[in-house]
Amino acid sequence: MWAEKPQLVEPAILISLLLLVLAIALSFWFAARLMKPIRELMPTVDSEGHLEFRSTKVAVKTPEELKAVTIAIDQIAEKQRRDEAARRKLERVRSEFLANVSHELRTPIFAVQGFIETLLDGAVDDPAVNRDFLRRARGQAERLNNLLNDLIDISRIESGEMRMSFRMFDIHPFLRDFTNEMRPMALAKTMDLEFKSKVQPKDEVSVYADKERLKQVLINLVDNAIKYSESGSLIRIELLEGEPTTRELTVRVVDQGIGIAPEHLPRLFERFYRVDKGRARSSPGGTGLGLAIVKHITEAHHGTISVRSELGHGSTFQFTLRKEPF
Ligand code: ADP
């Protein structure tokens, strides 16, 4: 009987050993399964010292609790990627802007310097050119002043510093008065400016806007219409009902000028974008910022702006205004 005992002990030890190995293997497997996603979740620090979260694609196979954590971390990683892309874009835009500003400032400064130096070199005593050079220098100083004003405006709008003073007011007398104020500018170039309303009733049609800023938009558009039209042409400010489902009105500035080729239209409202660089720069006051400011102001009024144009046949700039507070 006693002789059979060792035969029973041996399989028991063997089974225990097997179970032990299995337990160790299982715990390794479980630990590895648990650690893999945790390791992948661990943020790293990149060469610039930024904490970087990686995407956790393995998360789907992990236990429920970890899945929730991985989803949260995925969201942080995604947000971090978006923030980083936005930061890089902002940096690029800022340095492009700075390069444009320096370039734009340099042109009139060099021109003024050139005129003064020529005058000092003797032209001041030449009655045939001295007044002309002084007039040109004054024109460039004016350009510089316009550029600085536009730059201040655009940076105040973009940084949110420009305070708008919205109120309800009657748009018809506003546009009529504006047209009368601007007509002499058109007449001086042997053009005409008129106002036409297609909105009923004519007696009281209110809009919600900032009068000063709205005037700035219209001055820019009418000024461009005059600048890019030939003498004898007519410029019209029109007021129309907006789309039927919206509580909006549409204002149009229509000219019969040189028009704009279709390839330029998508970029027209960008800062410093000019269609014909030589022509626009030589025209007094052109900064290439006017339409960018117009777009910003329209958007601050919760409106939209667009342009239709045909080369040689004129352009129509139109924007929307709200009939009630937003
Ligand atoms: P600028 O100060 O040079 O006029 P804007 O931003 O006001 O700058 O206009 C950008 C460009 O769009 C202008 O350089 C011009 O080429 C074109 N443009 C604007 N308005 C008109 C228009 N009514 N007719 C033809 N071209 C226009």
Side-chain angles (χ1 to χ4, degrees):
M1 279 296 274
W2 287 109
E4 283 176 14
K5 218 174 182 181
Q7 281 174 357
L8 273 176
V9 170
E10 261 175 39
I13 292 171
L14 221 63
I15 288 168
S16 308
L17 273 174
L18 258 168
L19 281 175
L20 189 68
V21 170
L22 200 69
I24 291 170
L26 260 174
S27 62
F28 267 111
W29 174 79
F30 193 69
R33 194 172 168 230
L34 209 65
M35 282 313 289
K36 192 180 173 208
I38 290 176
R39 232 178 284 122
E40 298 217 8
L41 287 175
M42 292 279 282
T44 54
V45 177
D46 72 8
S47 57
E48 287 171 23
H50 297 129
L51 202 60
E52 197 179 342
F53 290 98
R54 284 166 300 189
S55 184
T56 54
K57 297 295 172 227
V58 290
V60 201
K61 288 179 255 145
T62 60
E64 282 308 312
E65 295 82 355
L66 265 180
K67 223 179 268 177
V69 180
T70 56
I71 288 169
I73 291 203
D74 260 350
Q75 284 165 350
I76 296 173
E78 188 48 42
K79 184 176 180 303
Q80 198 189 40
R81 255 189 303 280
R82 266 187 275 119
D83 287 354
E84 183 59 16
R87 193 184 62 79
R88 279 180 208 273
K89 188 174 171 217
L90 199 71
E91 239 166 52
R92 205 177 50 244
V93 168
R94 194 181 298 147
S95 65
E96 260 173 33
F97 183 61
L98 214 65
N100 276 326
V101 169
S102 331
H103 177 74
E104 296 294 329
L105 287 173
R106 207 168 285 140
T107 317
I109 290 173
F110 279 179
V112 171
Q113 271 177 341
F115 290 129
I116 292 174
E117 268 159 30
T118 319
L119 284 165
L120 285 174
D121 286 347
V124 72
D125 300 317
D126 181 352
V129 291
N130 56 10
R131 284 190 161 272
D132 182 42
F133 280 8
L134 282 171
R135 234 174 268 123
R136 281 170 195 248
R138 184 178 61 190
Q140 292 298 328
E142 223 169 81
R143 211 170 105 71
L144 211 52
N145 191 35
N146 290 342
L147 185 60
L148 281 178
N149 285 336
D150 278 359
L151 280 172
I152 291 167
D153 270 354
I154 214 151
S155 71
R156 281 177 60 214
I157 296 173
E158 288 184 359
S159 65
E161 248 179 73
M162 186 182 272
R163 290 265 161 270
M164 298 275 176
S165 167
F166 295 110
R167 61 197 56 175
M168 298 293 297
F169 60 89
D170 190 355
I171 188 74
H172 278 126
F174 176 86
L175 288 177
R176 256 194 305 272
D177 290 350
F178 174 79
T179 309
N180 290 335
E181 251 176 69
M182 293 290 281
R183 186 172 290 117
M185 248 181 81
L187 293 175
K189 298 266 173 80
T190 53
M191 298 174 197
D192 203 2
L193 177 69
E194 65 172 31
F195 167 54
K196 272 249 152 34
S197 173
K198 293 177 184 165
V199 174
Q200 297 292 347
K202 293 252 187 306
D203 33 318
E204 168 98 46
V205 181
S206 294
V207 292
Y208 188 64
D210 177 325
K211 275 188 178 181
E212 277 313 302
R213 299 293 156 217
L214 179 56
K215 206 165 165 182
Q216 194 177 356
V217 166
L218 287 163
I219 289 174
N220 263 301
L221 296 179
V222 170
D223 192 44
N224 276 348
I226 294 174
K227 212 156 63 181
Y228 302 106
S229 291
E230 307 295 339
S231 66
S233 62
L234 173 71
I235 295 153
R236 201 160 60 215
I237 299 174
E238 294 176 354
L239 185 69
L240 304 93
E241 282 294 347
E243 294 295 315
T245 50
T246 60
R247 298 280 296 143
E248 286 177 350
L249 291 176
T250 299
V251 181
R252 281 186 184 153
V253 175
V254 187
D255 69 52
Q256 305 166 329
I258 60 171
I260 304 156
E263 66 268 25
H264 295 293
L265 295 178
R267 299 195 55 194
L268 214 62
F269 296 96
E270 283 177 25
R271 294 180 301 205
F272 298 114
Y273 190 80
R274 292 187 180 96
V275 172
D276 178 350
K277 294 189 166 44
R279 185 192 157 114
R281 272 219 191 84
S282 62
S283 68
T287 64
L289 288 171
L291 289 179
I293 293 174
V294 161
K295 185 166 190 277
H296 275 307
I297 296 178
T298 322
E299 284 171 358
H301 279 73
H302 292 217
T304 53
I305 181 149
S306 58
V307 55
R308 265 186 293 129
S309 189
E310 204 182 326
L311 209 53
H313 292 282
S315 312
T316 297
F317 285 82
Q318 74 167 49
F319 62 93
T320 57
L321 279 178
R322 294 285 181 104
K323 286 193 211 169
E324 43 195 44
F326 30 81

